[in-house]
Amino acid sequence: RDNPILSIRRSGGSGGGSSAPPRGMTYNPAENAILLSSDAEGGSYELFQLPRDAVASVSGKGTVTSAATVDAMSTDSRRGLGASAVFVARNRFAVFDRSSGQIFIKNLRNEVTKKVAPPCPSTDAIFYAGTGNLLCRAEDKVVLFDVQQRKTLAEMSTSNVKYVVWSTDMNYVALLSKHAIHVGDKRLRHLCTVHETIRVKSGAWDPSGVFVYTTLNHIKYCLPNGDSGIVRTLDQPVYV
């Protein structure tokens, strides 16, 4: 069964976090850290570092940390402004600063260690793309960008990407927009596109290489070769 590890309190007061719900979450298993992104204040993030014994107690013995510990953990975060925030290394994360149009590389103390210009002037968001890399969303494409070498590695023509989902082995990527899913390989070579008339809600890769996704009223699947179909009908929305 699922056991809660972290409780996040949302408040509207200044300095107490944001009342806006999180838009995205990335987990860093090496440092046991979580990054939450939201649309609050024009784009902001929170960095949480979880005590290692909290996860060990859940995964090892099936027990949960005490409520007092969880409450204490909920206030221990580092915050900042940025349209997107994702991990790029074991102890580094990237933040896209919309006001300056730059990518800030920060350490886990939330200190800026490097500033990098994105590959396209029209970049407005960044997504996880493996160690040292970012997917940068521009007006009509996404660009695979090497942060260390400041070099464009590949790009795919697409627009209005909302979410990016990589397979576990990083060989495939699904780019989710409001009414379409674009599937590519690790070098952003386009493999297929699936169009939907109803909004795409979420998606995840199965280890067998099948992309499973949900709309308002269906669970569906998509294969890299373009085959797709319905798994089942839903009575209410489900997120995977």
Side-chain angles (χ1 to χ4, degrees), residues 181-229:
I181 298 171
H182 304 273
V183 177
D185 64 11
K186 61 184 177 181
R187 304 303 296 177
L188 290 192
R189 286 184 285 260
H190 179 264
L191 299 178
C192 70
T193 298
V194 176
H195 295 279
E196 293 288 343
T197 56
I198 300 177
R199 184 169 186 166
V200 177
K201 291 290 187 180
S202 65
W205 285 95
D206 182 84
S208 62
V210 179
F211 187 69
V212 179
Y213 66 99
T214 63
T215 63
L216 183 67
N217 49 17
H218 289 105
I219 297 177
K220 296 188 173 186
Y221 73 89
C222 170
L223 300 179
N225 65 8
D227 290 344
S228 62

Side-chain angles (χ1 to χ4, degrees), residues 1-7 50-71 73:
R1 65 186 177 89
D2 293 334
N3 294 293
I5 296 175
L6 177 65
S7 174
L50 309 181
R52 294 191 179 277
D53 56 355
V55 177
S57 66
V58 173
S59 59
K61 300 180 181 178
T63 57
V64 188
T65 54
S66 68
T69 303
V70 172
D71 285 342
M73 289 159 55

Side-chain angles (χ1 to χ4, degrees), residues 77-93:
S77 68
R78 301 178 189 272
R79 302 180 175 94
L81 298 179
S84 313
V86 294
F87 289 106
V88 289
R90 172 175 180 149
N91 57 358
R92 294 288 187 272
F93 65 97

